[in-house]
Amino acid sequence: MFIKNIKAIRVIDSRGIPTIRTFVWTKNAVGCATVPSGTSAGKKEALELRDGGKKYFGMDVSKAIKNVNNIIKKNLVKDFVVDQEAVDKKLIALDGTKNKAKLGANAILSVSLAVLRAAASELELKDYEYIANLNKTKPKMPTPHLNIINGGVHAGNSLSFQEFQIVPKFKSFEETMKASVEIYLTLKKILEKKYGLSSTNVGYEGGFCPNLSSSSEALSLIQSAVDKCGYTKQVKLALDVAANEIYKDRKYLVDQKSYSSGELIDYYKKVIKEYKLESIEDPFSEDDYKSWSNLLKSVSKTKIIGDDLLATNPKYIKDAIKKKYCNSLLLKVNQIGTITEAFEAYNLAKSASWDVQVSHRSGDTEDYFVSDLAYGLSSDSLKFGAPARGERTSKYNRLLEIEALNK
Ligand code: PGA
Ligand code: ZN
């Protein structure tokens, strides 16, 4: 069960931008993983190494690929593939920086995940079974949040908030996806009738991008699609504001109007009540800490999810638990760079009785590692975008497959 060879190659993500895919071989198995990439990435995230220069407009990953094929390969070949923690510690030490800036978090993560998959295959386990063994969790199907209207930097429309989600709660994942698809296609019809066919063009995560004038209009259209399908009781709504992108000079620009933090808290309180929101992610910018704790004090029953605020980093999560900034963690493996540190982030959040939501990125690929991760960790929820576009459906389809084959 030793690592025999490692090779990284360049592939293309869902936005047409290069990313890194790595293969890890043992005597009897091969593990392969492709890393995703964010568009609205926060400044606390581990560093995604890109080349700069002219090729691929500066976005090539040839340096990260070289780091895997030279430094990392030389140091990991002959290591034990099933000791994930030792592999990850070695990767962290080889890099030696605080934010994985030397080798690149993209290089490091591709190896960490490919090692995990090679080990699972050697042990003849499904990836989710091996993840559950590693983190001592019991696999369970999470509740999906499906992003069916895209705004912010994920879309070419005027909506300020990035994600307008539905949160369907049904007994099986199959029923959950059936309802989601029905709502998605009903919303498409509503939009087409009201605003014309071009309003049903989709954004980075497969949600529609209508040019609406307000976020409450988007919520109201989604609610009418839910109601029309007869799922009013089983489906809630949720938001990812991605507030870093609308924060300037201590003000938030929402639907062409400027809000102070206090005014934005009042706005959130109103929409939470009106639309019975399940959760709000990144309601404030990543360093507007006081506003986070003020909001949590007044809406403690709603899930307030930290994405850019926490960057899946145990250091920031500890601080947020202590200072009561939020009550849920968004878990994105590429924000931190190794699976061992992602487990640590998960366990810390759980120790504070937080909810954990496993997430894809806006720049993603057909790789469905996050499906096995969410299921294996038994995370409370997950978000993989709309039920459309291959890089999103690969992840939902993986969960449909897991459920159907485990019946
Ligand atoms: P990103 O968006 O992948 O572009 O960062 C997803 C999110 O903000 O949750
Ligand atoms: Zn987010």
Side-chain angles (χ1 to χ4, degrees), residues 245-258:
E245 309 295 330
I246 55 167
Y247 190 55
K248 214 176 160 216
D249 303 328
R250 303 181 143 266
K251 293 273 189 189
Y252 292 89
L253 191 66
V254 179
D255 305 332
Q256 290 90 46
K257 220 179 116 193
S258 177

Side-chain angles (χ1 to χ4, degrees), residues 162 240 281-282 307 330 332 383:
Q162 183 176 281
D240 179 5
E281 184 186 325
D282 279 356
D307 171 13
L330 195 78
K332 288 169 165 168
K383 64 162 189 174

Side-chain angles (χ1 to χ4, degrees), residues 37-41 154 162-163 205 240 281 307 330 332 361-362 383:
S37 168
T39 307
S40 61
H154 290 177
Q162 183 176 281
E163 301 176 19
E205 298 191 351
D240 179 5
E281 184 186 325
D307 171 13
L330 195 78
K332 288 169 165 168
R361 298 303 306 247
S362 55
K383 64 162 189 174

Side-chain angles (χ1 to χ4, degrees), residues 8 33-34 138 200 211 227 236 266 268 316 324 343 354 388 405:
T34 311
K138 199 165 165 277
T200 64
N211 228 337
D227 297 343
K236 291 180 100 184
D266 291 339
Y268 289 143
Y316 301 121
K324 296 194 168 61
F343 289 160
W354 281 14
L405 299 182

Side-chain angles (χ1 to χ4, degrees), residues 350-366:
K350 281 286 139 198
S351 74
S353 305
W354 281 14
D355 265 37
V356 177
Q357 182 169 109
V358 170
S359 172
H360 66 159
R361 298 303 306 247
S362 55
D364 218 299
T365 68
E366 61 276 26

Side-chain angles (χ1 to χ4, degrees), residues 149-396:
I149 289 188
N150 293 184
V153 295
H154 290 177
N157 59 9
S158 50
L159 284 168
S160 306
F161 296 168
Q162 183 176 281
E163 301 176 19
F164 298 84
Q165 308 164 349
I166 48 168
V167 188
K169 293 184 186 178
F170 291 83
K171 273 212 187 94
S172 69
F173 197 68
E174 194 183 354
E175 285 172 274
T176 303
M177 289 313 291
K178 173 180 165 281
S180 305
V181 165
E182 288 174 1
I183 295 164
Y184 181 73
L185 296 178
T186 302
L187 177 63
K188 186 177 183 189
K189 273 196 197 139
I190 294 175
L191 289 171
E192 186 181 341
K193 203 166 160 210
K194 219 167 162 186
Y195 306 100
L197 196 54
S198 66
S199 69
T200 64
N201 291 342
V202 300
Y204 276 169
E205 298 191 351
F208 304 116
C209 301
N211 228 337
L212 307 176
S213 56
S214 79
S215 302
S216 39
E217 195 181 355
L219 287 168
S220 149
L221 286 164
I222 293 177
Q223 188 63 56
S224 53
V226 170
D227 297 343
K228 201 161 180 216
C229 291
Y231 295 130
T232 313
K233 276 201 182 130
Q234 299 98 325
V235 179
K236 291 180 100 184
L237 308 192
L239 288 173
D240 179 5
V241 174
N244 276 353
E245 309 295 330
I246 55 167
Y247 190 55
K248 214 176 160 216
D249 303 328
R250 303 181 143 266
K251 293 273 189 189
Y252 292 89
L253 191 66
V254 179
D255 305 332
Q256 290 90 46
K257 220 179 116 193
S258 177
Y259 287 77
S260 69
S261 296
E263 287 165 344
L264 197 54
I265 289 180
D266 291 339
Y267 175 91
Y268 289 143
K269 281 188 349 211
K270 203 173 119 243
V271 283
I272 285 172
K273 215 168 145 201
E274 197 172 342
Y275 295 99
K276 297 186 202 72
L277 293 188
E278 168 95 354
S279 61
I280 304 186
E281 184 186 325
D282 279 356
F284 299 101
S285 126
E286 62 202 344
D287 40 22
D288 186 8
Y289 300 110
K290 205 161 180 330
S291 304
W292 282 85
S293 46
N294 284 342
L295 178 68
L296 191 66
K297 267 182 223 148
S298 51
V299 295
S300 59
K301 284 208 185 89
T302 310
K303 286 167 201 153
I304 305 297
I305 306 176
D307 171 13
D308 294 334
L309 174 82
L310 307 169
T312 317
N313 188 323
K315 184 175 108 190
Y316 301 121
I317 297 167
K318 265 184 215 156
D319 199 41
I321 292 171
K322 206 165 103 199
K323 295 179 180 151
K324 296 194 168 61
Y325 292 150
C326 58
N327 56 20
S328 306
L329 164 72
L330 195 78
L331 189 101
K332 288 169 165 168
V333 278
N334 81 320
Q335 284 182 326
I336 188 68
T338 66
I339 194 68
T340 301
E341 290 164 289
F343 289 160
E344 201 190 322
Y346 174 89
N347 295 330
L348 257 176
K350 281 286 139 198
S351 74
S353 305
W354 281 14
D355 265 37
V356 177
Q357 182 169 109
V358 170
S359 172
H360 66 159
R361 298 303 306 247
S362 55
D364 218 299
T365 68
E366 61 276 26
D367 191 314
Y368 48 71
F369 177 80
V370 282
S371 308
D372 284 75
L373 181 67
Y375 184 71
L377 286 180
S378 74
S379 70
D380 303 278
S381 57
L382 57 85
K383 64 162 189 174
F384 301 157
R389 293 178 57 116
E391 77 282 5
R392 315 296 153 191
T393 53
S394 70
K395 294 163 182 64
Y396 292 121

